[in-house]
Amino acid sequence: MTEPTSSISSPGRRDSADEPWNRVITKKQIGYASLVCFIAWVASVYDYTLFGTLLPVIADDFGWSPAKATAVNTWATIGVFFVSLVVGTMLDHFGRKKTLILLVIGGAVSSGLSGVAIGAASLVIIRAFSGFAVSEEVVNAVYLNEIYKKAKGRGFMYSLVQSGWPVGALCAAGMTSLLLPVVGWRGSFFVAACVSIIVIVMALKLPESPVFAAMKEVERRRKSGDAEGAAQLAAEHDVAVNTGNNLGLKGVLAPELRRHTISLSLVWLFSWMAIQVFAVLGTTVLVEAKGVSFENSLYVLILANAVGFVGYLTHGWVGDRIGRRNTVLMGFLLGGVASLLMLLGPASDGFVYLMYAITLFFLLGPFAAILFYMGESFPAHVRGTGANVAHVMAPVGAIVGSGLVSLLLTLGVTMTWAAILAGSLPLLLSGLLMFGTRHVDHRQHDAIEEAVA
């Protein structure tokens, strides 16, 4: 039998079938992993944003008022938060590859069952499982950061994968405009489930991260009493030996990381308040605040997410040059200003369409930089935990954003000011909070990663 090229590591080492932590990830495998993670993220976002896109239609079908519709979305997002809590444990226990597959399965279940919902309660329970779908980007951030160790222009490469958000949202809006008159909102969810099934089949061929394999082997050696071997392997692969104090929550809340972890978590919380208002509930905001018809709001959503795709690539490219931290900071501040202009400016179609597109450009684009920034700003031994602790605040932000909009509408506040208070101001605040995160010399970091590789 011919030995696969990916199983050869370096001279003097055994076959990587025996030592998977020494496996060489080929360029072909990097390309395939990028493709699968991109499609997985597209499918996840497709499912997640489809509910918000169809919410006005679902509300009309069930006879809900706008306040009740946003309340249903709020309760569903609370369920998303609790489901998202288990992702960090899954990453550490099952590995990057298996966790990705499990999360996509969860998204498929969420999509399929959404099509048979019979009311508010059942929809809330079913949509909670979309927490698996939206958490898929945590797997991407951790898995690809480890797979891309030898790659140049890693930030831009990751932005291509992360651009699956506007592509997924674009698919949700585009497919809705095509399928809604034919199969209704229930059939639209069934189509989303079929997309997820394709991703599951493709993900079965992914290589597992050598870093994860090294982490498991270090722990195995430590438990077997081989402390010297564990320390040697940990140093070789830049992972930590579990001392009980340097890993998990204790590690990311240690004095040297505490301010960074808290600031980054709050950035996710406030930016996702804006995501909930302007992306997930975008059609509702456009219809209620600016008087755009639902049919036209779908077209606006398609156009704006196409611009958002360009935003991802732009922020990934800029992040490689001026640093991911600075890119996120400036992007969120500009997005907050653009959203204010859209909501307070004239209601003419041209102005609303333009400013909404600019808002999504600077709202969505920075996530291409912030996710990769999390990987380089946290040390390797707490990279997975740090990324999940920060990212789990995303559904909390969505809960707060949706809940605040619902509360303000119930109190008689107009949709314009509800969107400003729950979306524009939090987006501005998330940009300012980036000042509290760690400064990373991205050029030096990339050089160190290449030297280590």
Side-chain angles (χ1 to χ4, degrees):
M1 179 182 296
T2 303
E3 182 179 299
T5 55
S6 62
S7 67
I8 301 174
S9 54
S10 60
R13 289 183 177 173
R14 295 187 301 172
D15 192 308
S16 67
D18 299 320
E19 296 183 344
W21 50 91
N22 287 328
R23 176 185 297 133
V24 173
I25 303 298
T26 65
K27 289 184 178 179
K28 183 178 179 180
Q29 289 175 315
I30 290 176
Y32 185 74
S34 300
L35 175 63
V36 173
C37 288
F38 170 77
I39 298 176
W41 186 223
V42 168
S44 298
V45 174
Y46 184 2
D47 165 74
Y48 184 73
T49 60
L50 185 62
F51 177 62
T53 302
L54 290 172
L55 189 57
V57 178
I58 297 172
D60 184 63
D61 190 25
F62 286 121
W64 299 338
S65 66
K68 182 173 182 179
T70 54
V72 169
N73 185 69
T74 301
W75 284 107
T77 311
I78 292 174
V80 168
F81 165 71
F82 285 108
V83 170
S84 300
L85 291 176
V86 305
V87 174
T89 302
M90 292 172 66
L91 273 169
D92 292 335
H93 183 72
F94 296 115
R96 294 19 172 168
K97 173 183 175 179
K98 290 182 180 178
T99 300
L100 187 151
I101 294 172
L102 290 172
L103 295 190
V104 176
I105 291 174
V109 170
S110 172
S111 297
L113 293 181
S114 295
V116 296
I118 58 175
S122 63
L123 203 53
V124 165
I125 295 171
I126 292 168
R127 294 310 302 170
F129 289 98
S130 65
F132 287 122
V134 76
S135 296
E136 195 276 330
E137 67 178 339
V138 177
V139 183
N140 283 356
V142 174
Y143 178 61
L144 293 180
N145 192 284
E146 296 168 355
I147 293 293
Y148 286 171
K149 251 188 174 180
K150 293 184 179 181
K152 294 182 179 180
R154 298 174 302 139
F156 181 71
M157 287 176 61
Y158 186 80
S159 73
L160 290 170
V161 175
Q162 188 58 24
S163 66
W165 176 282
V167 174
L170 188 66
C171 289
M175 294 300 287
T176 295
S177 64
L178 293 174
L179 295 175
L180 190 59
V182 180
V183 298
W185 66 267
R186 296 182 185 274
S188 299
F189 281 113
F190 293 143
V191 173
C194 293
V195 175
S196 297
I197 294 173
I198 296 173
V199 178
I200 295 168
V201 175
M202 295 180 66
L204 294 174
K205 297 181 180 180
L206 284 174
E208 180 55 274
S209 163
V211 176
F212 174 75
M215 290 169 57
K216 301 301 288 185
E217 176 62 14
V218 166
E219 186 64 12
R220 187 196 68 78
R221 292 183 184 184
R222 185 188 69 82
K223 289 182 177 180
S224 66
D226 183 10
E228 182 179 350
Q232 181 180 353
L233 185 63
E236 183 179 340
H237 290 274
D238 192 25
V239 298
V241 179
N242 186 1
T243 64
N245 296 313
N246 64 337
L247 300 181
L249 285 175
K250 289 183 179 179
V252 297
L253 293 177
E256 63 273 15
L257 289 176
R258 185 180 302 132
R259 177 184 172 185
H260 172 66
T261 301
I262 293 174
S263 296
L264 196 57
S265 298
L266 290 176
V267 168
W268 275 93
L269 187 148
F270 287 115
S271 63
W272 262 75
M273 288 179 66
I275 285 284
Q276 189 72 9
V277 173
F278 296 118
V280 177
L281 296 175
T283 51
T284 302
V285 171
L286 289 172
V287 170
E288 300 294 332
K290 306 304 294 185
V292 178
S293 68
F294 178 73
E295 291 75 15
N296 286 340
S297 73
L298 286 177
Y299 299 139
V300 176
L301 204 58
I302 292 171
L303 172 64
N305 276 287
V307 175
F309 173 81
V310 179
Y312 271 94
L313 302 187
T314 302
H315 286 80
W317 183 84
V318 172
D320 277 335
R321 283 150 183 80
I322 69 171
R324 260 70 78 170
R325 176 178 178 269
N326 296 335
T327 300
V328 174
L329 191 157
M330 292 187 296
F332 282 155
L333 289 178
L334 291 172
V337 172
S339 67
L340 283 172
L341 291 175
M342 178 193 71
L343 291 167
L344 296 176
S348 64
D349 290 348
F351 182 81
V352 172
Y353 298 170
L354 175 63
M355 296 314 300
Y356 184 63
I358 294 175
T359 296
L360 288 197
F361 180 92
F362 289 114
L363 169 60
L364 302 180
F367 284 94
I370 195 171
L371 282 153
F372 205 83
Y373 168 74
M374 289 198 298
E376 63 185 5
S377 65
F378 283 106
H381 64 281
V382 291
R383 182 171 296 146
T385 301
N388 192 56
V389 166
H391 184 270
V392 80
M393 298 305 293
V396 176
I399 293 167
V400 176
S402 180
L404 184 56
V405 169
S406 180
L407 175 63
L408 291 171
L409 292 177
T410 302
L411 294 176
V413 177
T414 65
M415 178 62 82
T416 297
W417 280 102
I420 290 174
L421 296 173
S424 300
L425 295 184
L427 185 56
L428 290 168
L429 186 56
S430 65
L432 295 175
L433 281 165
M434 285 300 296
F435 283 110
T437 60
R438 295 178 72 195
H439 175 73
V440 176
D441 187 338
H442 65 289
R443 297 182 186 274
Q444 180 181 6
H445 180 271
D446 287 351
I448 291 174
E449 286 285 359
E450 290 178 13
V452 170

